[in-house]
Amino acid sequence: MPELILGGARSGKSRYAEQCARDSGLEVVYIATAQALDGEMQARIEHHRAARPPHWRTVEAPCALAATLAAQAAAGRCLLVDCLTLWLSNLLCADAESLLATEVDALSAVLPQLPGQVLLVSNEVGWGIVPDNPLARRFRDEAGRLHQRLAAQCARVTLVVAGLPLTLKESS
Amino acid sequence: MPELILGGARSGKSRYAEQCARDSGLEVVYIATAQALDGEMQARIEHHRAARPPHWRTVEAPCALAATLAAQAAAGRCLLVDCLTLWLSNLLCADAESLLATEVDALSAVLPQLPGQVLLVSNEVGWGIVPDNPLARRFRDEAGRLHQRLAAQCARVTLVVAGLPLTLKESS
Amino acid sequence: MPELILGGARSGKSRYAEQCARDSGLEVVYIATAQALDGEMQARIEHHRAARPPHWRTVEAPCALAATLAAQAAAGRCLLVDCLTLWLSNLLCADAESLLATEVDALSAVLPQLPGQVLLVSNEVGWGIVPDNPLARRFRDEAGRLHQRLAAQCARVTLVVAGLPLTLKESS
């Protein structure tokens, strides 16, 4: 059953998700949504990569997340997607903007059918002042809606604060 | 007893409050604080209105919230105020700025005396970087102070994250 | 054992920490990290000071927090540090920027050895949209990393929302 792991920037959500993946005892495939478009982003990607066990396979999925999950999921395997907010951001910036609704629907449709374990990491971005920038407002609306939709589908939802997990949902 | 429902943007707090109102089994009056000053705001208002049951009565209260609550509250009735942050924003932007302290005091005074059920929805806005804009800083200070003050008066306070309620306070 | 008290702007985290200090029954020393660099900051400092019991001693530690804690800590004494985010901000703005890593390491090293009670107040700042400003991005990264590191060292971690404490960690 899929799990959603939410948290602010530098909340330790990625580290917590990686610990969950390690603890699963399953083969781990890391689904990276980041694109190294500038030096700062490249540095963040390297920082995260260096913290992961070297035997984890990495698959890049900047946009086609549903298709990548469908292709990679298997019984006895744990897919760790880090993170949904960058994926949303990639879709919003893509030339074909209608891609976003299609890809979000595809993710929502494929999620309940995936074998094995799936961990979805995402950023909370809507707890500040309304941004001046219309694209930023659109982004936080899309992120918020995505989190609500996926949280309803996930068996477990965790909010990470200062590296500490707070359980928001746990289906028995 | 009044209830305070907090959450970030697109956290599902309005939907959660509407579900609480439905579950109450009481006659619901929706107290709308939004003003349709531009197209984006108008679209948000329509989006929210379309999601509500058509038999709920809507009363607009962009500024005079305490007076509206006093006039509308009744045993067997549930008032749903959505949302306090827009009301604060309206008061901050009003010509007579001293209105804000007066209206906040009036709300705080009337709240414990209202018959029936009252649900207050509000946005958490203070979890980001300090805004450059002095008005935005003032706004998040006022919102934070208002939340503290009302939370102390409410029987129940809930934080909504990704559509999931987290109980912060529950008086027995 | 040290305690970490987190919250957004105007969440009531300072007031909550002050209540904890009062409830400890210990002699309280208030460690102030704020610097009154402008009128708005001066007003905030005065506002906080007026809310504290007059017999609490105040020690200023805008940068040298670890040394101040080591000098002030004593059995039967409660040190209340308010707040870590201003201290981080002071270090980031200091001429000698390498100070930050040194001071953070020093705080982390001294913390488990301090006698008496230590309450650390800090702001959550990473729950909004990624800031445009590179210094703001750096700041929220440093704040997030600091919170993770200190939370792992603290016996108790509390998130304050609307004046209400939510326990994130409690070691028995």
Side-chain angles (χ1 to χ4, degrees):
Chain A
M1 289 287 287
E3 299 187 13
L4 182 61
I5 296 165
L6 300 169
R10 296 286 172 197
S11 61
K13 59 192 182 307
S14 293
R15 192 186 299 190
Y16 174 77
E18 288 163 17
Q19 192 58 49
C20 291
R22 260 189 289 268
D23 293 348
S24 74
L26 306 174
E27 176 202 0
V28 179
V29 178
Y30 186 91
I31 314 287
T33 60
Q35 289 180 300
L37 301 176
D38 60 33
E40 188 175 332
M41 207 54 227
Q42 182 64 40
R44 282 183 183 252
I45 290 173
E46 289 306 321
H47 177 83
H48 277 293
R49 188 188 295 267
R52 295 198 298 266
H55 61 276
W56 288 5
R57 191 156 50 87
T58 296
V59 175
E60 297 189 8
C63 291
L65 184 56
T68 304
L69 290 177
Q72 295 291 337
R77 192 178 280 175
C78 174
L79 306 184
L80 197 176
V81 179
D82 197 351
C83 63
L84 296 178
T85 22
L86 284 174
W87 168 71
L88 262 191
S89 175
N90 294 338
L91 291 170
L92 266 180
C93 297
D95 282 342
E97 227 235 61
S98 64
L99 206 56
L100 191 144
T102 311
E103 281 295 331
V104 168
D105 286 347
L107 174 61
S108 181
V110 83
L111 205 57
Q113 306 171 18
L114 298 172
Q117 169 75 329
V118 180
L119 303 172
L120 303 166
V121 177
S122 200
N123 262 69
E124 283 293 320
V125 297
W127 301 57
I129 287 290
V130 179
D132 289 332
N133 183 323
L135 187 61
R137 286 202 299 275
R138 168 91 196 279
F139 175 67
R140 68 174 205 159
D141 282 355
E142 296 291 351
R145 278 195 208 106
L146 178 71
H147 293 172
Q148 288 185 54
R149 189 166 173 181
L150 297 181
Q153 294 187 297
C154 282
R156 192 181 169 90
V157 181
T158 303
L159 182 69
V160 181
V161 184
L164 303 168
L166 186 68
T167 301
L168 295 175
K169 178 182 178 181
E170 177 143 41
S171 305
S172 56
Chain B
M1 288 287 287
E3 299 189 12
L4 182 60
I5 296 165
L6 300 168
R10 294 287 171 196
S11 62
K13 58 192 183 306
S14 293
R15 193 186 299 191
Y16 174 76
E18 288 162 17
Q19 191 59 50
C20 291
R22 258 189 290 267
D23 293 348
S24 73
L26 306 174
E27 177 203 359
V28 180
V29 177
Y30 187 91
I31 314 286
T33 61
Q35 290 179 298
L37 301 176
D38 61 32
E40 189 176 331
M41 208 55 228
Q42 183 63 41
R44 282 184 184 250
I45 289 173
E46 289 305 322
H47 177 83
H48 277 294
R49 188 188 296 268
R52 295 198 299 267
H55 61 277
W56 289 7
R57 190 156 51 89
T58 297
V59 174
E60 296 191 8
C63 291
L65 184 55
T68 304
L69 290 177
Q72 296 291 336
R77 192 179 280 175
C78 174
L79 306 184
L80 197 177
V81 180
D82 196 352
C83 64
L84 296 177
T85 24
L86 284 174
W87 168 71
L88 263 189
S89 176
N90 294 339
L91 290 170
L92 266 179
C93 297
D95 282 343
E97 227 234 61
S98 64
L99 205 59
L100 192 144
T102 311
E103 281 295 330
V104 168
D105 286 346
L107 174 61
S108 182
V110 83
L111 205 55
Q113 305 170 18
L114 298 172
Q117 169 76 328
V118 180
L119 303 172
L120 304 165
V121 177
S122 200
N123 261 69
E124 284 294 319
V125 298
W127 302 56
I129 288 290
V130 180
D132 289 332
N133 183 325
L135 186 62
R137 287 203 297 279
R138 167 93 197 278
F139 175 67
R140 68 176 205 157
D141 283 356
E142 296 291 351
R145 279 196 208 105
L146 178 72
H147 293 172
Q148 288 184 55
R149 188 166 174 182
L150 298 181
Q153 295 187 296
C154 284
R156 192 182 170 90
V157 182
T158 303
L159 182 67
V160 180
V161 185
L164 302 169
L166 188 67
T167 302
L168 295 175
K169 177 182 179 181
E170 177 143 42
S171 304
S172 55
Chain C
M1 288 287 287
E3 299 188 11
L4 182 61
I5 296 165
L6 300 169
R10 296 285 174 197
S11 61
K13 58 193 184 306
S14 293
R15 191 185 300 189
Y16 175 77
E18 287 163 17
Q19 191 58 50
C20 290
R22 259 188 289 266
D23 293 347
S24 74
L26 306 174
E27 177 203 358
V28 179
V29 177
Y30 186 90
I31 314 285
T33 61
Q35 290 180 300
L37 301 176
D38 60 34
E40 188 175 332
M41 208 55 227
Q42 183 64 39
R44 281 182 185 253
I45 289 174
E46 290 306 321
H47 177 84
H48 278 293
R49 188 188 296 267
R52 294 197 299 266
H55 62 277
W56 288 7
R57 190 156 51 87
T58 296
V59 176
E60 295 189 9
C63 291
L65 183 56
T68 303
L69 290 178
Q72 296 291 337
R77 192 178 280 175
C78 174
L79 307 183
L80 195 176
V81 180
D82 196 353
C83 66
L84 296 177
T85 22
L86 283 173
W87 168 70
L88 262 191
S89 175
N90 294 338
L91 291 169
L92 266 180
C93 296
D95 282 343
E97 226 234 62
S98 64
L99 205 58
L100 190 143
T102 311
E103 281 295 331
V104 168
D105 286 347
L107 174 61
S108 181
V110 84
L111 204 56
Q113 305 170 18
L114 298 172
Q117 170 75 330
V118 181
L119 303 173
L120 305 165
V121 177
S122 199
N123 261 68
E124 284 293 320
V125 297
W127 302 58
I129 288 289
V130 180
D132 290 332
N133 183 323
L135 186 61
R137 286 202 298 277
R138 169 91 195 281
F139 175 67
R140 68 176 206 158
D141 283 356
E142 296 291 351
R145 280 195 207 103
L146 178 71
H147 293 172
Q148 288 185 54
R149 190 166 172 181
L150 298 181
Q153 295 186 297
C154 284
R156 191 181 170 91
V157 181
T158 303
L159 182 68
V160 181
V161 184
L164 302 169
L166 187 68
T167 301
L168 295 175
K169 178 183 178 180
E170 177 141 44
S171 304
S172 55

